[in-house]
Amino acid sequence: MISVQRGDFDHCEQYQALKDEADGDGAVVTFTGLVRDFNVEGSVSGIHIEHYPGMTEKSLMRICSEARKRWQLGQIRVIHRVGTIGPQEQIVFVGVTSKHRKSAFEACEFIIDYLKTSAPLWKQEGTSEGMKWVASRSSDQEAMDRWANTTNQS
Amino acid sequence: MIQIKLFASLRESIGTSSLNLEYAGENTVADVAHELVERGANWRLLEERDVLCAVNQTLCGKDAKINDGDEIAFFPPVTGG
């Protein structure tokens, strides 16, 4: 299940849905990203996320199918919020089920790493000088590069 | 006709989010970018090295082939998550 949405999501509902759909899987791993209330230059009053309607959804689907090529997975849920989001609010949810924990942990991390470097989403932060576009970080690309030579590890 | 889309800081700096171009037999995304750059100084941003592009909503290189009817997007590195 993929969703790009303005509204918030209920983490408990998402976990429950994964658990209900798990069908014999022994592991559920979830990741929830929150808006930080600080960055390197000081406090952040919130963020605004722009997306490319259509392509953002397609890229999330593609990321999930790339994960399925590498690990044997049951259910995958990815939710990304867009628009204006306040400090400490939820931005992104990734939940994965699998027979065993290792695949679920790795796939969850792979999906968020891949999302951060390839899904068309752009973040602005509210600073004391107004809204500022966030620059991409080389550490995000390095996190993604670690997965470059991984194929079907399950 | 080809449809050009711009996002995020690129959209802001260039001052437009989309436009249609008459298809004139351009071969690649780079050919289209080269034409757009002639529209003014701020369009030169399209040729910066870190600008990403997509044809019909699929990420590709600037050497990607294009056809009449395509949707071509240019945008800065992504920062979601």
Side-chain angles (χ1 to χ4, degrees):
Chain A
M1 191 280 287
I2 300 294
S3 176
V4 177
Q5 60 188 55
R6 287 191 169 265
D8 200 5
F9 54 86
D10 183 333
H11 181 277
C12 299
E13 271 176 23
Q14 294 305 320
Y15 169 76
Q16 193 62 45
L18 284 166
K19 182 170 167 285
D20 292 347
E21 296 158 357
D23 195 28
D25 282 345
V28 181
V29 170
T30 69
F31 167 80
T32 307
L34 306 179
V35 177
R36 278 188 295 265
D37 57 5
F38 64 90
N39 68 7
V40 282
E41 285 159 18
S43 69
V44 170
S45 61
I47 63 169
H48 187 273
I49 296 185
E50 178 171 332
H51 75 301
Y52 181 170
M55 182 174 169
T56 309
E57 291 83 350
K58 273 193 203 170
S59 337
L60 297 181
M61 298 288 278
R62 194 196 144 130
I63 292 168
C64 293
S65 46
E66 287 295 321
R68 287 188 187 281
K69 282 186 200 162
R70 291 167 163 83
W71 297 277
Q72 209 176 347
L73 305 172
Q75 301 299 318
I76 306 179
R77 283 181 171 251
V78 180
I79 302 174
H80 205 294
R81 291 181 65 196
V82 294
T84 302
I85 312 176
Q88 293 302 307
E89 279 190 47
Q90 305 181 127
I91 313 177
V92 59
F93 175 86
V94 179
V96 175
T97 76
S98 184
K99 293 258 178 302
H100 302 288
R101 70 179 183 282
K102 191 167 186 285
S103 302
F105 271 125
E106 289 180 355
C108 187
E109 192 175 16
F110 169 84
I111 291 169
I112 189 70
D113 285 347
Y114 203 161
L115 181 159
K116 284 181 94 77
T117 52
S118 78
L121 293 153
W122 302 274
K123 198 180 287 162
Q124 281 180 296
E125 285 177 341
T127 70
S128 53
E129 294 159 23
M131 296 303 280
K132 275 197 171 170
W133 291 103
V134 172
S136 63
R137 289 147 51 119
S138 57
S139 58
D140 287 337
Q141 189 56 51
E142 285 156 17
M144 185 57 220
D145 292 345
R146 287 183 307 141
W147 301 104
N149 298 317
T150 60
T151 45
N152 203 357
Q153 302 188 333
S154 48
Chain B
M1 190 80 81
I2 49 181
Q3 192 182 12
I4 308 295
K5 291 192 165 194
L6 305 173
F7 290 93
S9 54
L10 213 52
R11 169 181 57 74
E12 274 190 359
S13 307
I14 293 175
T16 188
S17 58
S18 75
L19 74 148
N20 292 324
L21 284 184
E22 209 56 56
Y23 179 67
E26 296 90 344
N27 266 323
T28 64
V29 174
D31 292 344
V32 174
H34 198 67
E35 258 180 61
L36 288 168
V37 160
E38 287 172 16
R39 291 180 164 241
N42 45 357
W43 285 88
R44 276 187 214 141
L45 291 168
L46 290 188
E47 294 196 318
E48 287 200 357
R49 217 165 55 96
D50 66 350
V51 166
L52 302 175
C53 54
V55 173
N56 298 327
Q57 306 194 346
T58 300
L59 213 51
C60 61
K62 300 214 171 75
D63 55 352
K65 296 267 181 271
I66 59 153
N67 290 297
D68 196 6
D70 282 350
E71 174 178 306
I72 303 169
F74 296 94
F75 43 81
V78 302
T79 54

